[in-house]
Amino acid sequence: ADLLLSFDIEEFDLPEEFGVPVPESDRMTIPAEGTARILDVLKEKKVRATFFVTAFFAERAPELIARMVAENHEIASHGLNHSFFEAEHLAKSKEILEKISGREVVGFRMARLAPVAKKAIRDAGYVYESSLNPVWLPGRYNHFGAPLLPFDDEGGLRQYPVSALPFFRVPLFWLRFKNFPFFLYRALIISAVRRTGYFNVYTHPWEYSGRSAEKKWCIPPYITRHAGEAMVQRLGALTDALAGFGNFRTFRENFADHEKDGSR
């Protein structure tokens, strides 16, 4: 199985969804702290991953982008910034990330998994997207009938859905990772990998900083549960749990194999 571990590297704007403004310093230092902790775990576990980064973050933390590249992780786009989107941001974020990282950027994930015209993504130069959670999430989206496995959409863009357990479509995304007892989450993801031969999950860097759980942000506890060191430990446990069931790979590596298979 291909195990596609990814992280949405973005500025800390979550409190603004609950009416709390975030000072510029906290907007960057909280996710930067979390990103460094993520990289430490991945280095210790010898796991490679894909980082969907906003251009806003990359411009303010180029040293972390350089570390991702040096440690052979993939850099993909998470848009120009996390709070506001226009179609021209697709090409602009790609350009900025390529300049800072020195690597070609071919993947895209929209902030909050919001819908974006697939043709616009393809026209901006991306070859794959991972913005589909094939479940029903009240108040956000209903993709209960969407494919569970990677597929090519009508415009030729390769789609990588976030993992969900087949049949009942139990979500396995970041909120489940932090809210389910770990033994239960472990059992569910192993079941999903065995049934589908595929696993795709993502988390956010602010989850790995205890500062994101401070009461002043007014973020509900189910979102900030285990923030800080507990999430660091969970990430390590997740990589250990999955290690015997497949290979940790980047989205780009998986896409390259798909292209090879298609050319045979």
Side-chain angles (χ1 to χ4, degrees):
D2 272 358
L3 310 175
L4 306 179
L5 195 62
S6 65
F7 304 89
D8 288 0
I9 307 300
E10 62 204 33
E11 55 274 24
F12 183 59
D13 63 347
L14 181 61
E16 294 172 358
E17 292 190 29
F18 304 96
V20 179
V22 183
E24 189 69 19
S25 57
D26 292 323
R27 187 177 290 262
M28 275 301 301
T29 55
I30 289 174
E33 175 187 329
T35 300
R37 288 181 171 182
I38 290 167
L39 286 165
D40 287 345
V41 173
L42 298 181
K43 184 175 182 178
E44 177 189 348
K45 300 296 183 179
K46 297 181 173 59
V47 168
R48 295 173 62 225
T50 300
F51 288 81
F52 291 88
V53 189
T54 66
F56 181 99
F57 184 98
E59 289 179 320
R60 289 159 180 79
E63 72 284 356
L64 287 171
I65 306 303
R67 181 178 173 187
M68 293 172 194
V69 172
E71 294 176 5
N72 294 315
H73 300 296
E74 179 187 359
I75 307 295
S77 174
H78 199 38
L80 196 63
N81 62 73
H82 198 255
S83 302
F84 176 68
F85 175 76
E86 293 182 347
E88 54 265 31
H89 291 180
L90 292 165
K92 186 64 175 177
S93 64
K94 186 177 190 295
E95 175 187 344
I96 292 171
L97 290 168
E98 288 180 339
K99 182 177 180 180
I100 294 172
S101 68
R103 298 287 178 87
E104 184 183 21
V105 172
V106 298
F108 177 75
R109 176 180 289 149
M110 182 59 191
R112 300 178 178 88
L113 305 188
V116 179
K118 307 310 175 190
K119 185 177 186 303
I121 298 172
R122 182 72 179 179
D123 289 349
Y126 300 100
V127 299
Y128 77 79
E129 181 190 16
S130 183
S131 306
L132 173 63
N133 194 8
V135 302
W136 175 48
L137 189 63
R140 288 284 191 182
Y141 41 73
N142 185 356
H143 302 309
F144 202 81
L148 290 171
L149 295 175
F151 64 97
D152 294 327
D153 65 24
E154 294 179 356
L157 197 65
R158 187 71 171 168
Q159 296 289 338
Y160 288 94
V162 179
S163 284
L165 196 64
F167 305 118
F168 294 108
R169 296 289 176 122
V170 177
L172 299 175
F173 69 134
W174 64 281
L175 281 173
R176 292 295 181 264
F177 175 48
K178 69 195 314 176
N179 282 293
F180 277 5
F182 188 77
F183 76 89
L184 175 59
Y185 187 77
R186 181 183 185 277
L188 291 174
I189 62 176
I190 290 174
S191 176
V193 171
R194 284 174 169 167
R195 293 184 186 188
T196 67
Y198 167 80
F199 187 67
N200 172 13
V201 70
Y202 69 96
T203 54
H204 311 86
W206 46 263
E207 298 179 65
Y208 298 85
S209 169
R211 293 169 57 202
S212 67
E214 293 174 358
K215 291 184 178 180
K216 66 181 180 180
W217 303 126
C218 298
I219 303 172
Y222 76 91
I223 295 178
T224 58
R225 195 181 311 279
H226 299 304
E229 184 59 31
M231 274 296 288
V232 173
Q233 296 301 318
R234 281 195 165 224
L235 178 59
L238 175 67
T239 60
D240 289 343
L242 287 168
F245 295 92
N247 299 309
F248 289 99
R249 309 186 73 207
T250 66
F251 286 77
R252 183 164 189 168
E253 287 175 321
N254 181 282
F255 180 82
D257 284 350
H258 167 69
E259 288 287 276
K260 287 180 182 177
D261 291 342
S263 64
R264 289 174 183 170

